[in-house]
Amino acid sequence: MEQLLYGVVGLIAQLHNYILSLNNSYEASFTDKELHFLVIGALGVILVCIAHPIFKLLARTGHVMVITFLYVGTIMIVIAFAIEIGQGVTGTGAMEFDDIVYGIGGFLAMFIVLMVIRAIYHLIKRWVTKGDDEWYD
C-alpha cells in the first residue's frame, strides 16, 4: 500500500512537471495558483461527469447506501491523511502511513457491522410485514 501511495505521488509530480513545461513552452505565463485553479477545476468537473451518471444509476436501482459509503469513505480518507499531516506539522505524534491504514480499516470494520445490523433489521421488518406464511416464499 505504501508503494502504491509513493507511486501515485510520483505520478502526480511527473504530471505537475509536464503541465509546468507546457506552460513554459507555450509562454502562457500562468502562475502556480492559476494552474492549480485550472487543473483542479477541470479535474473536478471531469470527475463529476463520471460520478453523476453512476450515482444516478445507483440511486435509481435503490443502492443509495453505496453512494453514502463512497462519499463517507472519501471523507474518512481525507480526514485520516489530515490527522497524520497535522501530527507531523505540530509534532503531536508520529506521522505514519500505517495509522492511516488502521484508521480506514476501523471505518471499514465498523461499516460492515453497521451493514449486518441493517440487514438483520430489514429481514425482521420484511418478516413482520409479510406475515409467517409468506416468509418462506
Side-chain angles (χ1 to χ4, degrees):
M1 186 72 166
E2 193 170 345
Q3 290 175 338
L4 174 68
L5 182 61
Y6 281 118
V8 170
V9 169
L11 183 66
I12 291 171
Q14 288 176 348
L15 183 61
H16 183 267
N17 290 337
Y18 176 71
I19 291 170
L20 285 177
S21 71
L22 287 176
N23 186 44
N24 295 337
S25 297
Y26 293 106
E27 298 177 7
S29 69
F30 288 114
T31 66
D32 189 51
K33 288 174 183 40
E34 290 170 334
L35 285 172
H36 278 262
F37 178 86
L38 293 170
V39 171
I40 299 298
L43 180 62
V45 169
I46 290 168
L47 289 174
V48 165
C49 291
I50 292 169
H52 184 69
I54 294 169
F55 287 1
K56 275 181 68 173
L57 176 67
L58 288 169
R60 188 172 38 236
T61 57
H63 294 94
V64 177
M65 185 57 79
V66 174
I67 298 168
T68 303
F69 172 76
L70 292 173
Y71 177 73
V72 173
T74 303
I75 291 172
M76 296 312 300
I77 290 170
V78 169
I79 289 172
F81 272 94
I83 288 170
E84 288 306 306
I85 292 168
Q87 285 180 343
V89 169
T90 62
T92 57
M95 204 166 104
E96 298 179 58
F97 185 72
D98 284 348
D99 291 349
I100 296 169
V101 172
Y102 275 80
I104 300 304
F107 166 66
L108 292 174
M110 292 182 195
F111 186 80
I112 289 169
V113 169
L114 174 65
M115 290 300 94
V116 169
I117 293 169
R118 185 174 183 260
I120 292 169
Y121 167 78
H122 283 294
L123 285 171
I124 292 170
K125 184 178 172 185
R126 186 181 310 160
W127 178 66
V128 168
T129 57
K130 287 189 176 184
D132 290 338
D133 294 338
E134 296 179 17
W135 174 250
Y136 296 104
D137 289 343

